[in-house]
Amino acid sequence: MRYIPATDKDLEAMLADSGAGAFEEIISQVPKEIRDKAKLKLPPELDELSLMRHMKSLSDKNAQMDDTPTFLGAGAYNHFIPAAVGHILSRAEFFTAYTPYQPEISQGTLQAIYEFQTYVTLLTGMDVANASMYDGASALAEAVLMAVRIKRKRQKVFISSAVHPEYRETVKTYTGDLQITIVEIPYTDEGKTDIDWLEKNIDEDTAAVALQYPNFFGTVDDMNAISKIVSAKEALFISATTEIVALGLLKAPAEFGVDIAVAEGQSLGNAVNFGGPHVGLFATKTTYLRNMPGRLVGETEDLDGKRGYVLTLSTREQHIRREKATSNICSNQSLCALAFTIHLSLLGKRGFKELAQTNLELAHYAKEKIASLPGFSIRFNSPTFNEFVIQSDKDVIELNRKLLKRKIIGGLPLQGFYPELKNTLLFCVTEKTGREEIERLAEALGDIS
């Protein structure tokens, strides 16, 4: 079906089929005061200076990470962004150029996307990468859909319960109305995906197994063992990385036989903001290239032998018939992907590794410091990168309130996602969290607990 706007006759037919007498019946759940388009209770207009002061007073009510150390991670990481990233990003040719509809005219944009793709393949070790996704969670959901397309008659996907809870929810949202069964793999007392459970339950109807690397608890699963189990059933192996900096030290997913590697790239060049926008990374093997969602830029030569860039694959509904599209991604947030690319270019191979090493060392310093306090212990005794889980004998919600009064943002309470993990906190440390701030946290925890 080609995309054609609905006519009044079409709308009447849809209302008749839905059993609703009028459109208002469909939106009857929306509160009446909103449907009545009641006037907003806005104060009188302000001049620019007064408005700036007013907005500043509102923003000052928030805890600012510049003067409030934060130990929150869980998918949104507070990393340092060099000033050069913003400077290059704001160049007019990048800042104004959106998705090019005559792409080959925008050679600079295509080159930037090509370099982004190259970086993603270098980080993941995979053969090919696309031009980015909305975020890591939607990239994982697209990976699951892609795996089911490849495996056709197989409709079951196993996903580790140690995958970020919101990533799992996104997968369920994408697959909720499809004939796909999502099965969650439990985690062990070590905070790792339960390999024995997976081996007993995986079967010939399994299209793919997905896990997080490192996982939501910050620990690293036994990727080799899981890869062997998945391969024995001829299913696809999907890895999702929420903290891309970890790949500065850990082996690339491809080294474990991963078929589709997705990740969240926010850690490089993109600020935490209020949870977005982020940038999803998506890479796979050449074998599965034509099943990959999104679009891909390739390098070529013109008749004079000059290097050029072209839109090589584009499975978007804007370029092919909607029913043939493997993805409906319209805005690939190229600017976020470009920020990622610039930051990684500035770091270089050695700088990226040093960044990862700094994160690792600071996180381990914090882990040992907190665990040495009375009433605190390490919940999962497994290798970690820059996140780790701490068990407390106190109410961690109350602990966080007290920390905030001391201008410190504590870890993420896990009991909201995992009721069995009562009074546990997921702490995160990045290069922006210095030793002085870690010691300040430890001192505060020692005082208030």
Side-chain angles (χ1 to χ4, degrees):
M1 180 182 76
R2 291 178 180 276
Y3 177 71
I4 300 171
T7 64
D8 290 342
K9 191 175 179 181
D10 295 329
L11 296 176
E12 288 174 9
M14 284 189 275
L15 282 174
D17 286 346
S18 68
F23 177 68
E24 284 67 26
E25 285 185 34
I26 297 174
I27 59 170
S28 60
Q29 299 298 318
V30 179
K32 188 173 182 301
E33 57 271 25
I34 297 176
R35 282 187 281 127
D36 285 348
K37 299 182 180 177
K39 287 186 178 180
L40 297 174
K41 295 177 182 176
L42 295 175
E45 66 273 18
L46 299 172
D47 59 59
E48 185 175 354
L49 177 59
S50 301
L51 180 61
M52 292 293 287
R53 286 173 175 161
H54 176 65
M55 297 304 290
K56 179 71 169 51
S57 69
L58 292 178
S59 69
D60 285 346
K61 293 181 179 179
N62 293 319
Q64 309 287 330
M65 287 193 291
D66 288 338
D67 58 9
T68 308
T70 176
F71 294 87
L72 277 176
Y77 301 97
N78 184 33
H79 287 288
F80 173 70
I81 302 173
V85 174
H87 180 74
I88 299 172
L89 200 65
S90 60
R91 287 177 62 97
E93 60 268 39
F94 289 131
F95 216 63
T96 57
Y98 179 58
T99 299
Y101 287 94
Q102 290 178 300
E104 279 63 46
I105 293 176
S106 307
Q107 282 294 300
T109 299
L110 290 183
Q111 181 181 348
I113 295 173
Y114 181 82
E115 292 182 4
F116 167 81
Q117 295 170 178
T118 304
Y119 278 135
V120 175
T121 58
L122 289 172
L123 290 172
T124 59
M126 306 301 289
D127 300 329
V128 290
N130 72 12
S132 85
M133 313 290 283
Y134 289 127
D135 53 29
S138 59
L140 176 59
E142 292 279 2
V144 167
L145 294 178
M146 176 175 154
V148 174
R149 282 198 300 274
I150 293 170
K151 289 298 178 181
R152 298 189 177 210
K153 294 181 180 178
R154 299 186 179 202
Q155 300 293 316
K156 189 186 295 181
V157 174
F158 284 84
I159 183 167
S160 171
S161 58
V163 168
H164 194 306
E166 291 169 350
Y167 279 48
R168 281 184 275 134
E169 280 302 308
T170 304
V171 170
K172 291 172 186 174
T173 300
Y174 271 58
T175 59
D177 292 325
L178 303 176
Q179 299 299 316
I180 299 174
T181 303
I182 303 295
V183 183
E184 294 201 0
I185 313 166
Y187 64 87
T188 67
D189 289 340
E190 295 179 327
K192 294 182 176 181
T193 302
D194 193 332
I195 298 175
D196 294 336
W197 187 96
L198 175 63
E199 193 165 22
K200 290 175 185 171
N201 289 276
I202 191 171
D203 56 25
E204 282 69 20
D205 190 36
T206 304
V209 174
L211 54 81
Q212 186 173 322
Y213 173 66
N215 69 31
F216 186 63
F217 304 128
T219 65
V220 182
D221 283 316
D222 189 341
M223 297 286 281
N224 273 324
I226 294 173
S227 181
K228 288 177 184 174
I229 294 170
V230 176
S231 179
K233 294 294 180 185
E234 297 183 352
L236 297 184
F237 189 15
I238 301 171
S239 74
T241 301
T242 61
E243 172 55 290
I244 194 67
V245 177
L247 297 187
L249 291 177
L250 298 178
K251 285 184 178 178
E255 294 190 41
F256 302 107
V258 164
D259 297 288
I260 307 171
V262 301
E264 171 54 62
Q266 173 268 320
S267 291
L268 296 176
N270 290 275
V272 174
N273 298 319
F274 288 93
H278 285 187
V279 50
L281 318 183
F282 196 109
T284 188
K285 296 176 177 176
T286 307
T287 312
Y288 308 125
L289 173 62
R290 300 198 73 82
N291 280 285
M292 186 167 61
R295 60 181 180 168
L296 190 147
V297 172
E299 186 184 270
T300 187
E301 290 183 350
D302 65 11
L303 291 174
D304 300 323
K306 295 178 181 175
R307 185 170 59 178
Y309 299 92
V310 293
L311 200 56
T312 307
L313 286 175
S314 187
T315 58
R316 307 163 68 207
E317 77 287 357
Q318 288 163 308
H319 295 113
I320 62 175
R321 290 187 181 187
R322 174 165 288 191
E323 70 274 19
K324 298 290 184 185
T326 54
S327 172
N328 67 348
I329 292 173
C330 304
S331 169
N332 78 338
Q333 298 180 301
S334 279
L335 211 59
C336 297
L338 180 60
F340 173 94
T341 308
I342 296 168
H343 193 170
L344 200 50
S345 301
L346 294 170
L347 284 169
K349 186 176 180 180
R350 190 176 69 182
F352 185 59
K353 186 175 181 180
E354 288 175 353
L355 174 64
Q357 186 69 36
T358 302
N359 274 250
L360 177 72
E361 290 173 2
L362 285 170
H364 278 248
Y365 179 67
K367 186 160 74 169
E368 292 171 6
K369 199 81 180 173
I370 299 170
S372 68
L373 297 170
F376 294 92
S377 60
I378 298 169
R379 179 63 177 81
F380 299 121
N381 189 25
S382 299
T384 56
F385 176 59
N386 70 348
E387 291 181 280
F388 53 90
V389 179
I390 291 291
Q391 180 77 54
S392 172
D393 60 4
K394 304 292 183 186
D395 181 342
V396 294
I397 306 292
E398 187 59 26
L399 273 182
N400 272 351
R401 285 199 190 100
K402 290 178 179 177
L403 284 176
L404 200 53
K405 286 181 181 177
R406 294 187 176 217
K407 299 204 73 173
I408 298 173
I409 300 172
L412 176 75
L414 289 179
Q415 60 200 63
F417 294 119
Y418 302 88
E420 69 277 15
L421 295 179
K422 192 175 180 184
N423 290 335
T424 57
L425 288 168
L426 177 67
F427 282 96
C428 175
V429 177
T430 71
E431 74 283 357
K432 286 189 74 175
T433 319
R435 286 181 179 252
E436 289 181 4
E437 287 159 329
I438 293 169
E439 285 162 7
R440 188 175 148 195
L441 168 70
E443 184 181 348
L445 287 174
D447 288 346
I448 62 182
S449 61

